[in-house]
Structure formats: structure tokens, C-alpha cells
Amino acid sequence: MKKTLLLLLLALLYLSKAGAQELGANYNENIAQPITEIQMLRNSEISWVRGFINIHSEFLTVENNVIVGINEDAIRNSSLSRQFMAARASLGEGVKFILSLKIPFQNDEGLVPEVGSEACEYVFKAARLLLESFDMGRNISLLVMGNEPMWENWNADLRSDDADDYKD
């Protein structure tokens, strides 16, 4: 009987720990908003903040539905990046930052650039430059390339013919 009670108590203790939730703030495309809500975020004792930057519309040059370059000045002068990093500095090391680099390829007829193509290299160069600007890369705990690639490629009914290229 004692062993049964002890096992039950241990199971309850284990389940109470397993059930704990982390509190975070997801700002989606309003990535600059955390800087206006620092006190609220501190008071909430959040452990993470997530936002996304649409590098497709902000930093890539598209002509006739094909990625043909990047706008380096837009990357270097991005107020979104500055504000995101200011929020990061204000909240301190205890808060992890998640950044999604949204790449809505469905907006172009060409969709996902072929792996190794010039267009694909523009996507990666833009991402690299962004992460180097304001030292963003060092301050991001988790980086996601794509908006929600796990959903965009998971369901065969929802994905396009080039989903395998998107995953690559």
C-alpha cells in the first residue's frame, strides 16, 4: 500500500511539472510592437517573443514574378530590425527571441526558386545580411526560414507541386 501511495505521489509530482506552460508573446508581422510594450511584457514574465519579417516584400526585388535581386539599403536601414533589437535589449537575456523570415512564395508564379539558382541565392543573401545587421543573428534563439513551412509542406492537399523544393 505504501509503495502504491508513493508511486501515485511521484506520478502527481511528475504530471504537475509536465503540465507547466511557458508564457510568450507572438507579434506576427507587428515585430516592432514589443518595444512599445516592454513593461507589460516584463510584468507578464514571458519567456519568449516571436515575430516575423516578410523578407520577400521588404528586401527582395521581384520582376515578372521572379526574384532578381535584393535591396541591401532596405536591409541596412530597416526600422523593424532596429526596434526588434531594442526590444531584445530591453527585455534581457531571460527572454528568448524567435524570428521567422516569412517568404510567401505563393505570391509569385515562379513560386519557390530552384535550389542552387540565382533567385535562391538572393533569398539566402538577404537573410544573411539581415541577420548580420544590428547583430540580429546573435540575439535570436530560434530562426525559421519561411512563414510556417511545417504547415505549408505537411498536407498534400494544401501544398503546391514545388513543396519538395520549398523544403530543400
Side-chain angles (χ1 to χ4, degrees):
M1 183 70 168
K2 280 186 177 181
K3 285 184 181 181
T4 304
L5 287 174
L6 182 59
L7 286 175
L8 181 60
L9 179 61
L10 287 174
L12 288 173
L13 288 173
Y14 177 76
L15 289 174
S16 68
K17 281 189 177 185
Q21 296 289 318
E22 288 189 33
L23 184 61
N26 183 2
Y27 285 95
N28 287 323
E29 70 276 7
N30 301 311
I31 191 171
Q33 192 173 347
I35 194 64
T36 66
E37 300 176 348
I38 295 297
Q39 196 56 49
M40 179 192 68
L41 294 172
R42 281 190 189 137
N43 292 343
S44 300
E45 298 180 5
I46 61 161
S47 58
W48 58 267
V49 169
R50 178 209 177 248
F52 73 72
I53 294 177
N54 186 336
I55 68 170
H56 193 263
S57 64
E58 298 282 334
F59 307 130
L60 296 174
T61 305
V62 178
E63 294 176 3
N64 298 321
N65 296 316
V66 175
I67 300 167
V68 296
I70 61 173
N71 184 341
E72 292 186 31
D73 287 338
I75 294 171
R76 287 189 195 99
N77 299 313
S78 172
S79 63
L80 295 174
S81 301
R82 278 196 299 276
Q83 290 170 325
F84 188 73
M85 292 310 300
R88 173 74 184 96
S90 295
L91 288 170
E93 294 297 317
V95 177
K96 305 297 181 204
F97 273 65
I98 301 167
L99 177 65
S100 294
L101 299 180
K102 184 176 182 180
I103 310 168
F105 289 122
Q106 72 273 15
N107 292 345
D108 296 328
E109 289 176 14
L111 296 175
V112 181
E114 188 175 321
V115 175
S117 69
E118 188 175 30
C120 187
E121 290 305 312
Y122 288 135
V123 171
F124 285 109
K125 184 175 180 184
R128 250 182 268 121
L129 288 173
L130 178 65
L131 294 173
E132 291 169 356
S133 70
F134 311 100
D135 212 17
M136 280 184 79
R138 291 183 185 270
N139 291 284
I140 296 169
S141 299
L142 179 65
L143 176 69
V144 177
M145 289 287 288
N147 184 29
E148 293 172 329
M150 63 284 197
W151 299 118
E152 292 164 350
N153 291 293
W154 174 69
N155 185 333
D157 295 334
L158 299 177
R159 68 185 206 181
S160 60
D161 292 337
D162 60 7
D164 289 334
D165 287 339
Y166 188 57
K167 286 194 278 189
D168 287 343

